[in-house]
Amino acid sequence: MTKTLEKTKTCLNLIGGEWVKSNTGKTFTSYSPANQEEVIGSFADSDETDVKKAVDAAAKAFETWRKVPAPERAEIILRAGLLLEQHKESLAKDMTREMGKVLNEARGDVQEAIDMAKYAAGEGRRMFGMTVPAEMRNKFAMAVRAPLGVVGIITPWNFPVAIPSWKILPALVAGNTVVFKPATDTPYCAYRFVEILQEAGLPPGVINFVTGSGSRVGNPIIEDPRVRLISITGSSFTGRKVAGRCGELMKKISCELGGKNAICVMDDAKLELAVDGALWGAFGTTGQRCTATSRVILHKDIYEKFVDMFVKRAKELKVGDGLDPSVDVGPVINKDQLKSINEYVKIGQDEGAKLLFGGKILDKGDHAKGCFHEPTIFGDVKPNMRIAQEEIFGPVVALIKVNSFEEAIEVANGTEFGLSLSMYTQDVNRAFNAITDLESGIVYVNAPTIGAEIQLPFGGVKQTGNGHREAGTTAIDQFTEWKSIYVDYSGVLQRAQIDNHGDKK
Ligand code: NAD
């Protein structure tokens, strides 16, 4: 089945079960961020004609797929999970080459998809509806979940297999058909994931894969009236634009967007543990997780000690190609992102924050051909500085000093985002107050802001999202509509209380 990366030169779109070239005949190239001279593959540079064909195929397939019993659909999803397990290592290696995250993290990315496949397959035998008492005798009241139809899935590059799996697998088990557009930086990982779904036995047209840009492929998916839902993960900028348009079209839209996540470390915290957590949260995946720890809010009594320990540990991190097992921090995704991260370093310095460590682009020796940035730590950051407010999406962390637990909560909540916040304390009262008062979709106690498990809802509040949650049982909510059903077996016209005020029966 899967071709090795070396042999893969051109990857096509998948439409109606056939691998086909784009209408334009053009291609675009994916490069390794660790070595920009290494070509990963070339991909169909598609346009609205390809999208139309993909939606045609998905709409046709929906008519039969929706009637396949959910447990049967689930068998195919489970098979996909088992195939992912079989191909985990090669997929992880390809991911490291294409996206840059270190190999162990790439394995974790694939593992999320395996877990999600097993979980979503289980939903095929659950997908609970509801039965409630009816107002009348001989009448039955229930509600079931119905699939939406064709759904458009638009994904970012930072979790190139996990995020597509969070969306596509629940969508399919619920009976929808899919048009999938991955990020242009990681199309090969997405291609391999789709290949595995195909091999698992999805009928033609149930999953359609169209590569290309947000404007030429993403937009036409949104505009097509047959696409009933857009599920997008990306930046808040993109999410706002897409959600606005979907609002005008009265289309369902689920957005998972940016974050400005924080760890709070109180004076009673276990400092070693907090340093470990902050290091992993800030520099894991080179800071390119929506849940990355980009602020550490420190109680004044432990500020200096934490800073010493944290900077010392950050200095030990090795930056390089993620395929090298001795490397801790891989490259960032591309040159534009590298530039943008480094601009934030300058912004931080201009704002008066103290550069405690890092700050530079690495472009010599082993780093010369890739997109590498030093892990970077700013001290004396004020909560309203741009580096403490805006998503940088790179290995840059802002340390903020506060006087009290209450101030820590206020600072943690003081951004437009609300994805993941964490509290380090040994005091159970403080822990539960933090759980109550932190404004975020995910709260951790004595653990960093990254590391969600797929069996709980995943998503954020405020500008991070629009109220939907991925993963957990909530994943199914996104991809189904409720259908309420009343069955009257009395044989006479019975009126519900709304129309029955004591008049003759
Ligand atoms: P991005 O917003 O640039 O792109 C995301 C996807 O949207 C890509 O496939 C892109 O091609 C597409 N797109 C862009 N403009 C579009 C348009 N006008 N119409 C339709 N599609 C369009 O994001 P990115 O750089 O790929 O990913 C990084 C961002 O994703 C960060 O902000 C990060 O926080 C966020 N993210 C959020 C979560 C979460 O669950 N909250 C998870 C991972 C990443």
Side-chain angles (χ1 to χ4, degrees):
M1 54 142 282
T2 38
K3 299 162 209 79
T4 64
L5 194 56
E6 287 73 21
K7 287 187 209 144
T8 303
K9 291 290 172 244
T10 303
C11 301
L12 304 175
N13 287 334
L14 179 70
I15 298 179
E18 303 286 331
W19 294 99
V20 291
K21 284 187 182 165
S22 72
N23 168 57
T24 64
K26 291 190 203 149
T27 58
F28 66 95
T29 307
S30 167
Y31 298 94
S32 169
N35 174 1
Q36 296 257 277
E37 289 172 9
E38 183 187 337
V39 171
I40 300 297
S42 63
F43 299 86
D45 194 1
S46 316
D47 68 7
E48 73 275 5
T49 308
D50 303 298
V51 170
K52 182 177 175 308
K53 286 182 188 157
V55 180
D56 287 347
K60 185 162 170 249
F62 179 63
E63 287 316 314
T64 42
W65 182 244
R66 72 192 174 94
K67 293 195 173 154
V68 175
E72 217 177 292
R73 294 194 294 253
E75 293 295 331
I76 301 177
I77 305 302
L78 183 60
R79 250 193 322 274
L82 300 176
L83 285 168
L84 281 164
E85 238 163 15
Q86 255 178 48
H87 295 285
K88 180 174 170 182
E89 196 57 21
S90 80
L91 199 44
K93 280 192 177 133
D94 285 351
M95 188 184 298
T96 296
R97 292 174 77 176
E98 186 175 50
M99 185 273 161
K101 63 177 71 174
V102 298
L103 190 53
N104 253 338
E105 290 187 36
R107 291 184 182 116
D109 193 310
V110 181
Q111 187 58 46
E112 289 255 320
I114 295 167
D115 295 342
M116 182 49 91
K118 292 176 178 170
Y119 190 85
E123 278 301 312
R125 289 189 182 270
R126 281 189 298 265
M127 249 187 281
F128 295 133
M130 50 182 109
T131 56
V132 294
E135 287 171 3
M136 281 150 278
R137 291 163 194 223
N138 301 326
K139 193 174 173 193
F140 197 83
M142 63 187 163
V144 297
R145 292 173 181 275
L148 303 171
V150 181
V151 298
I153 305 290
I154 302 178
T155 56
W157 46 263
N158 66 333
F159 278 89
V161 170
I163 290 180
S165 81
W166 293 353
K167 296 177 187 295
I168 291 171
L169 301 179
L172 292 177
V173 85
N176 303 281
T177 55
V178 167
V179 177
F180 170 33
K181 187 210 97 62
T184 47
D185 282 300
T186 51
Y188 189 67
C189 294
Y191 171 83
R192 288 211 49 195
F193 178 58
V194 170
E195 252 191 338
I196 284 171
L197 288 178
Q198 273 297 91
E199 192 184 339
L202 285 178
V206 170
I207 173 96
N208 301 276
F209 174 66
V210 187
T211 51
S213 71
S215 55
R216 286 191 305 281
V217 177
N219 266 333
I221 297 176
I222 294 162
E223 293 296 328
D224 194 308
R226 295 167 297 171
V227 176
R228 296 295 169 81
L229 159 92
I230 298 294
S231 179
I232 184 167
T233 296
S235 62
S236 291
F237 173 79
T238 303
R240 264 195 291 270
K241 247 175 35 185
V242 172
R245 184 60 187 142
C246 286
E248 282 171 2
L249 296 170
M250 287 291 283
K251 188 168 295 219
K252 274 185 105 179
I253 165 80
S254 157
C255 292
E256 292 297 340
L257 309 173
K260 191 70 190 173
N261 316 291
I263 281 178
C264 305
V265 187
M266 292 300 96
D267 47 345
D268 65 338
K270 285 194 171 162
L271 273 200
E272 293 278 356
L273 186 70
V275 169
D276 275 346
L279 211 64
W280 172 227
F283 303 126
T285 325
T286 322
Q288 302 172 113
R289 291 196 189 196
C290 50
T291 50
T293 305
S294 55
R295 299 177 295 154
V296 183
I297 299 165
L298 297 155
H299 193 282
K300 63 178 174 24
D301 291 351
I302 48 90
Y303 183 85
E304 297 301 337
K305 191 155 182 224
F306 182 94
V307 167
D308 287 348
M309 292 165 71
F310 188 55
V311 171
K312 184 165 168 288
R313 292 281 302 281
K315 283 180 179 166
E316 292 164 8
L317 295 173
K318 182 172 169 189
V319 180
D321 185 337
L323 287 173
D324 173 349
S326 67
V327 160
D328 303 293
V329 180
V332 301
I333 188 69
N334 57 36
K335 289 278 178 208
D336 283 348
Q337 187 59 17
L338 185 64
K339 203 168 140 227
S340 156
I341 292 164
N342 201 249
E343 273 164 15
Y344 269 107
V345 174
K346 298 200 172 64
I347 289 168
Q349 286 172 307
D350 291 347
E351 285 179 311
K354 191 165 158 194
L355 185 60
L356 298 172
F357 178 63
K360 288 195 288 298
I361 289 174
L362 296 166
D363 54 7
K364 308 271 182 313
D366 287 351
H367 299 123
K369 291 181 183 163
C371 310
F372 295 99
H373 199 283
E374 287 181 320
T376 298
I377 303 172
F378 276 108
D380 295 344
V381 177
K382 299 284 169 261
N384 59 353
M385 287 180 179
R386 284 183 63 191
I387 57 166
Q389 288 290 327
E390 296 173 18
E391 187 182 50
I392 300 173
F393 224 56
V396 180
V397 61
L399 309 185
I400 303 170
K401 193 193 293 185
V402 291
N403 294 308
S404 63
F405 172 81
E406 291 71 23
E407 192 185 347
I409 299 279
E410 193 185 325
V411 171
N413 289 342
T415 75
E416 64 178 7
F417 300 105
L419 183 52
S420 183
L421 294 171
S422 149
M423 175 60 67
Y424 278 77
T425 178
Q426 292 302 302
D427 179 336
V428 69
N429 296 336
R430 275 178 167 178
F432 273 86
N433 277 313
I435 292 168
T436 309
D437 292 340
L438 288 172
E439 286 173 4
S440 54
I442 306 167
V443 173
Y444 288 92
V445 176
N446 293 327
T449 54
I450 64 176
E453 300 180 29
I454 63 101
Q455 64 277 22
L456 276 184
F458 181 93
V461 302
K462 303 198 288 191
Q463 296 288 311
T464 295
N466 62 342
H468 292 271
R469 291 291 183 272
E470 307 207 292
T473 53
T474 44
I476 297 294
D477 293 341
Q478 227 186 94
F479 294 107
T480 52
E481 293 276 18
W482 281 110
K483 188 177 276 186
S484 298
I485 302 157
Y486 302 93
V487 180
D488 190 323
Y489 54 99
S490 67
V492 292
L493 172 65
Q494 298 198 91
R495 294 181 189 173
Q497 280 189 27
I498 184 177
D499 294 315
N500 178 7
H501 298 282
D503 38 341
K504 272 198 233 151
K505 298 225 169 141

